[in-house]
C-alpha cells in the first residue's frame, strides 16, 4: 500500500506491467481503476477459487469474500485455493491465507457468514461489483435482488458436470437481471448440486476463470452502456471435438420484472423484513442455507 | 421440414434419443409449441409403445424436467418449465414470440436448463 | 500412498468422488487410470500454473515439472501458483511447495533444468502425456520431436494478450504432430512473447485450465483412436460479446512430415548429437533458451 | 461475390480496416490466393495513395507479418508465411487445395497467426 489511489508504485508497475501492455485492457488508467475497485465474491468454492486467484493477482484493490462453509476433503479436487491442511478450516480463512501472500497489495475482507436477507444489503453496498459464485437458486435470487436495489453489476457463473454458464447481470443498472432471465424459480426437484451431480474440476474452474475475465472487463470499463449486449454464454467441456463456448443474444431488462422493472414488488423492506422468504420461493422450505 | 434441436445443461438425458443434437421433422410453418409437443411425445415412446399416463411416476418425473405436468394435465398444453432457456438460432425466444414463434427450415432450437452448481 | 495402484483408498474415494460421479469421466476405472498416469508439464508459467493446480487436484499419480526459470515479480499477475514470497526461487520449487500440500497423494518430480536436445529424451520417456506450456517455437519443436519419437501424446497450449490456442498433438502416435501443423517455423520477427506483447492473467489461465481438461480426457480414455479428430481451438477473451472458443477441423498426419511421416529426417540421433539446432532452425541463433 | 474474412491472433492489426471481421468482394470463382492478394493491396493503401515499394521498411515489416516478402519480390506471388493457419468455413485449407481453393459466396475465411506465449 505504498502508493496513493490515483497512481501506481514502482512495484505495481512491475507487477502489473504485462497486463497493462495489452491494448484491450486499457493501460495505466485501467490498472488504477482496478486498484480503486471493490469486488465481492460470494462463495469460495469451485467458481470462487479461480476467480479469487486471478482477481487478486490482477490487482483489484479490495476483495471481499463471504462464505460460511469449511473446507471438506470432497471439495479438494476442484477448489484449488484450499490445500489439504486447510480441511476443517473456514474457506474464507483458507482463501485469505493464500491470497494475501499471492498479492499483499490487495485489501482482503472476509465474512465468515451466510449471506442472508438480513446482512445482504450491509455487505453488498460496500462493493462495486458482485461475483455470484454460489450454488443454489435461493442465493442467486437474493444476491440479484439486493444487488439490483443497490445498483451493483453482477458477474454470474454456474456449472455442473462438464458444463457451465456465464452472464453479466444488471449491467450498470441498465442490463437485464437474474429475475429478467428467470422470473420464476425452477421446480425444486429439477435443481442438481455439484454434490449430487458431480463436476470436473477444471470445467468449473474454467467458468470461474471466465468470471475473472468478465470482472476485469467491467472494472476496466471495456464494457460500456453503448457496447454492452445482454448475453448468456454456455461452456461445454466435453463437446464432440475439444471444448466449446456458445454465446446467446438475450432479452433486455423486462418492464414487468419484479425487482428491476417499472413497478417493482421487491424492495429492501420486503427482503430485510423477511417477508420475501427465498427458501419458500425456491420451494426448499427445509433447505440449508448455502 | 427439418429443424435441429440442441439439448444442453443435461436435458438430453431425459429423451429417448439421448443425443445432444438431433434433427426433428415438423410441419411447414409449425410454431415452437408444436416442436415441444413433438419432443415430449418422443420422450413418451421411451416408456412404452402406447402413450404412458401422467400417473406413471417414472414417466412424470422425467417429463417434469422439461414441461409443466400439472398444466399439461389441466389444459393439454406442453409448457416449458421455468429455468429452461429456449433459443432460436442463438437468440432468446423472448425476442421472438416464445411458444408462438413460427419455425423456418433448418432453424436451430436450443433448450438449456439453468445450472446452479458452483 | 495408502493404496495400491489398482484400487483407491477410502480417502481417495472421498477426495475424487465428485468427479467420478460425472458420466463423461468414466467412474472408478478412470480415476485409477489417472492414478497410474505420469504427466510431464514443461513450463510452470501462465499456462503451467492452472494446468498443474487442476491436474494435481484431480489425482494424476505422477506429475513431472521442468522449468529453469525463477519467479519474477512480473510473473505474478498471471502465474497464480507462485506467491510473492517465492520471488527469486525456482518456479519448480515454488510449484512443488504448494502442490504437495494441495494433494499429498501425488508424486511430484521436479527438474530444475532447461529442456534441451541432450536431456529431452531422458526426461520425456518417463511420462505418458506431455503438456507443452512453454513460450518459444524452439521449445515447441523440441518437445514435439522428442515426444513423437518416444510415442507420447502432447497437449499443446499457447496464448498472448487476450487470445489463446489449444490442440492435442501426436494423439496415440496417430494424430498430426506440431510439425504436421507447422512444417516450417514462423519468421523469427513475427514471434511475440508474453513479455513483449503482454497478456491478461485469466485469459492465459483459461487456456491452461482447458489443457487440464484435455489431459484428463486423454488419460481417462475419453478420446479414443476411433473418436479423436484433429483440431485447433482458438480462444478469444475479448470477443464482440462475452468470450469465445472456435474449434477448427484440422489436417491429419502428413505423410511427408519430417518427424512423424513415412521417411522421417529427424531421429533421436540427429537431436541428441546436436545436428538439429533448434535455435538456428527457428532463426534465433543468439536466443536464450527458455 | 462477398466472402467474410476473419483475422485472429493479432493479424487484424496489420490491415487498414483494423477489424477482426470484414466482408471482402472477390470475383466469382476466385481462388483463395486472389483473396490474399486483395487483402495485401488493402494493406498497402494504408501507407499511401499509390502502391508503396517493398523497399519501404515500415510497409515491408507490416506485410512480412502476413506474406513472404522475398518470394513476392522474386515472383510477384503473395504467399502466406509459415505460422499462419488458414481455414475455410472452419476447416483447415490443407483439406482443400490451399491457395488454389475456389471460393464460394459467403464463405468464411479465417487467418490466424500461431501464438507462442505461455
Ligand atoms: Zn430484472
Ligand atoms: Zn508430424
Amino acid at each position: 500500500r505504498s502508493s496513493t489511489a490515483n497512481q501506481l508504485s514502482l512495484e505495481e508497475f512491475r507487477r502489473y506491467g504485462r497486463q497493462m501492455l495489452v491494448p484491450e485492457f486499457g493501460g495505466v488508467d485501467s490498472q488504477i481503476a482496478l486498484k480503486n475497485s471493490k469486488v465481492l465474491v460470494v462463495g469460495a468454492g469451485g467458481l470462487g477459487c479461480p476467480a479469487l486467484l486471478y482477481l487478486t493477482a490482477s490487482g483489484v484493490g479490495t476483495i471481499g469474500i463471504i462464505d460460511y462453509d469449511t473446507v471438506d476433503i470432497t471439495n479438494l479436487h476442484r477448489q484449488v485455493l484450499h490445500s489439504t491442511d486447510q480441511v476443517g478450516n473456514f474457506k474464507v480463512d483458507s482463501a485469505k491465507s493464500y491470497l494475501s501472500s499471492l498479492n499483499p497489495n490487495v485489501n482482503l475482507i472476509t465474512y465468515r457468514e451466510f449471506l442472508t436477507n438480513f446482512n445482504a444489503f450491509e455487505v453488498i453496498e460496500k462493493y462495486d461489483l458482485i461475483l455470484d459464485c454460489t450454488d443454489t437458486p435461493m442465493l442467486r435470487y437474493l444476491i440479484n435482488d439486493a444487488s439490483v436495489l443497490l445498483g451493483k453489476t453482477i458477474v454470474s457463473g454456474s456449472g455442473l458436470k462438464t458444463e457451465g454458464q456465464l452472464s453479466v447481470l444488471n449491467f450498470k443498472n441498465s442490463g437485464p437481471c437474474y429475475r429478467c432471465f428467470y422470473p420464476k424459480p425452477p421446480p425444486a426437484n429439477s435443481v442438481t448440486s455439484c454434490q449430487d451431480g458431480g463436476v470436473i474440476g477444471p470445467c468449473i474452474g474454467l467458468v470461474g476463470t471466465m468470471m475473472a475475465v468478465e470482472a476485469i472487463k467491467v472494472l476496466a470499463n471495456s464494457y460500456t452502456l453503448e457496447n454492452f449486449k445482454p448475453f448468456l454464454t454456455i461452456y461445454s467441456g466435453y463437446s464432440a471435438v475439444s471444448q466449446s463456448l456458445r454465446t446467446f443474444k438475450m432479452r433486455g431488462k423486462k418492464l414487468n420484472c419484479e425487482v428491476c422493472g417499472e413497478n417493482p414488488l421487491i424492495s429492501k423492506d420486503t427482503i430485510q423484513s423477511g417477508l420475501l422468504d427465498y427458501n419458500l420461493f425456491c420451494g426448499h422450505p427445509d433447505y440449508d442455507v448455502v | 421440414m427439418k429443424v435441429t434441436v440442441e439439448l444442453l445443461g443435461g436435458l438430453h438425458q431425459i429423451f429417448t434419443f439421448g443425443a445432444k443434437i438431433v434433427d426433428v421433422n415438423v410441419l411447414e410453418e409449425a410454431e415452437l409449441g408444436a416442436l415441444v409437443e413433438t419432443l415430449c411425445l418422443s420422450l413418451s415412446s421411451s416408456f412404452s409403445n402406447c402413450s404412458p399416463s401422467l400417473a406413471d411416476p417414472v414417466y412424470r418425473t422425467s417429463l417434469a424436467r422439461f414441461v409443466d405436468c400439472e398444466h399439461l394435465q389441466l389444459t393439454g398444453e406442453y409448457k416449458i418449465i421455468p429455468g429452461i432457456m429456449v433459443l432460436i438460432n442463438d437468440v432468446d425466444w423472448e425476442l421472438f414470440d416464445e411458444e408462438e414463434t413460427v419455425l423456418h427450415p433448418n432453424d436451430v432450437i436450443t433448450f438449456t436448463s439453468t445450472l446452479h452448481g458452483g
Side-chain angles (χ1 to χ4, degrees), chain A, chain B:
Chain A
R1 332 273 168 81
S2 52
S3 61
T4 64
N6 290 315
Q7 58 188 53
L8 299 178
S9 68
L10 186 60
E11 192 264 2
E12 289 169 315
F13 265 107
R14 298 186 60 216
R15 185 186 281 264
Y16 309 122
R18 296 297 176 270
Q19 83 194 12
M20 288 191 274
L21 271 177
V22 177
E24 290 89 338
F25 177 73
V28 183
D29 289 348
S30 289
Q31 192 62 51
I32 289 172
L34 252 57
K35 183 178 177 175
N36 289 319
S37 295
K38 299 187 169 91
V39 173
L40 178 69
V41 175
V42 188
L47 295 166
C49 283
L52 282 165
L53 282 165
Y54 283 104
L55 289 180
T56 301
S58 75
V60 170
T62 300
I63 298 181
I65 317 170
I66 180 165
D67 198 318
Y68 190 67
D69 250 7
T70 54
V71 177
D72 185 87
I73 192 166
T74 61
N75 303 148
L76 297 179
H77 82 100
R78 67 188 187 281
Q79 302 185 15
V80 295
L81 182 49
H82 308 302
S83 56
T84 305
D85 47 8
Q86 295 283 2
V87 168
N89 295 340
F90 283 98
K91 287 185 181 175
V92 293
D93 297 335
S94 165
K96 184 173 181 173
S97 78
Y98 185 75
L99 296 174
S100 59
S101 77
L102 180 61
N103 191 349
N105 298 318
V106 177
N107 179 25
L108 293 158
I109 299 170
T110 54
Y111 303 87
R112 205 186 283 167
E113 304 170 29
F114 295 125
L115 192 77
T116 66
N117 283 39
F118 312 110
N119 65 9
F121 286 88
E122 198 188 334
V123 174
I124 290 175
E125 72 182 354
K126 299 198 180 75
Y127 296 89
D128 307 311
L129 175 68
I130 314 303
L131 266 66
D132 183 346
C133 301
T134 63
D135 58 0
T136 67
M138 203 181 62
L139 277 171
R140 293 185 182 276
Y141 281 104
L142 170 60
I143 290 168
N144 180 71
D145 294 350
S147 299
V148 166
L149 292 167
L150 290 164
K152 313 294 183 185
T153 301
I154 305 162
V155 174
S156 175
S158 63
L160 189 68
K161 297 181 182 170
T162 63
E163 297 192 348
Q165 295 176 348
L166 172 77
S167 201
V168 174
L169 299 171
N170 194 45
F171 177 70
K172 290 185 189 284
N173 255 13
S174 108
C177 82
Y178 194 74
R179 276 189 198 269
C180 295
F181 278 13
Y182 309 108
K184 289 182 196 164
N189 56 11
S190 75
V191 176
T192 312
S193 70
C194 292
Q195 303 300 320
D196 297 337
V199 63
I200 300 290
C203 289
I204 192 82
L206 187 137
V207 180
T209 306
M210 289 181 76
M211 292 175 79
V213 177
E214 293 303 295
I216 289 172
K217 287 190 215 169
V218 172
L219 298 174
N221 301 305
S222 303
Y223 283 132
T224 62
L225 284 171
E226 289 68 41
N227 71 20
F228 179 81
K229 303 262 185 300
F231 69 86
L232 173 68
T233 295
I234 298 204
Y235 165 70
S236 173
Y238 282 62
S239 41
V241 177
S242 185
Q243 300 165 54
S244 68
L245 286 177
R246 291 277 300 280
T247 292
F248 301 115
K249 179 182 174 181
M250 299 302 291
R251 66 195 72 173
K253 210 183 236 311
K254 280 172 81 105
L255 296 180
N256 64 350
C257 174
E258 293 190 3
V259 67
C260 79
E262 292 186 320
N263 297 299
L265 297 171
I266 297 165
S267 67
K268 187 170 176 179
D269 268 358
T270 56
I271 296 170
Q272 285 197 324
S273 68
L275 200 66
L276 174 45
D277 181 334
Y278 289 92
N279 277 327
L280 212 60
F281 173 66
C282 294
H284 278 287
D286 303 322
Y287 210 85
D288 268 352
V289 190
V290 185
Chain B
M1 68 183 186
K2 186 213 81 172
V3 297
T4 299
V5 172
E6 282 187 302
L7 298 156
L8 306 179
L11 280 181
H12 67 287
Q13 292 159 344
I14 63 173
F15 290 99
T16 331
F17 40 83
K20 290 186 185 177
I21 301 183
V22 68
D23 286 342
V24 175
N25 277 308
V26 291
L27 296 176
E28 295 288 326
E29 302 196 20
E31 292 184 356
L32 214 158
L35 172 66
V36 172
E37 185 168 347
T38 304
L39 287 168
C40 288
L41 294 176
S42 133
L43 170 63
S44 71
S45 73
S46 69
F47 283 86
S48 64
N49 288 324
C50 54
S51 189
S53 152
L54 280 171
D56 175 346
V58 181
Y59 173 63
R60 190 175 176 126
T61 303
S62 239
L63 197 63
R65 290 180 58 193
F66 193 57
V67 293
D68 183 335
C69 287
E70 270 180 59
H71 187 82
L72 174 59
Q73 205 154 21
L74 289 172
T75 65
E77 280 171 25
Y78 291 82
K79 206 176 141 207
I80 297 285
I81 58 167
I84 292 184
M85 278 287 179
V86 187
L87 308 122
I88 302 157
N89 302 322
D90 291 0
V91 177
D92 189 354
W93 74 342
E94 277 237 348
L95 298 174
F96 303 107
D97 299 313
E98 309 190 25
E99 286 92 344
E100 286 155 32
T101 310
V102 175
L103 300 178
H104 298 98
N106 303 313
D107 275 353
V108 177
I109 320 298
T110 307
F111 298 89
T112 180
S113 61
T114 304
L115 305 176
H116 299 94

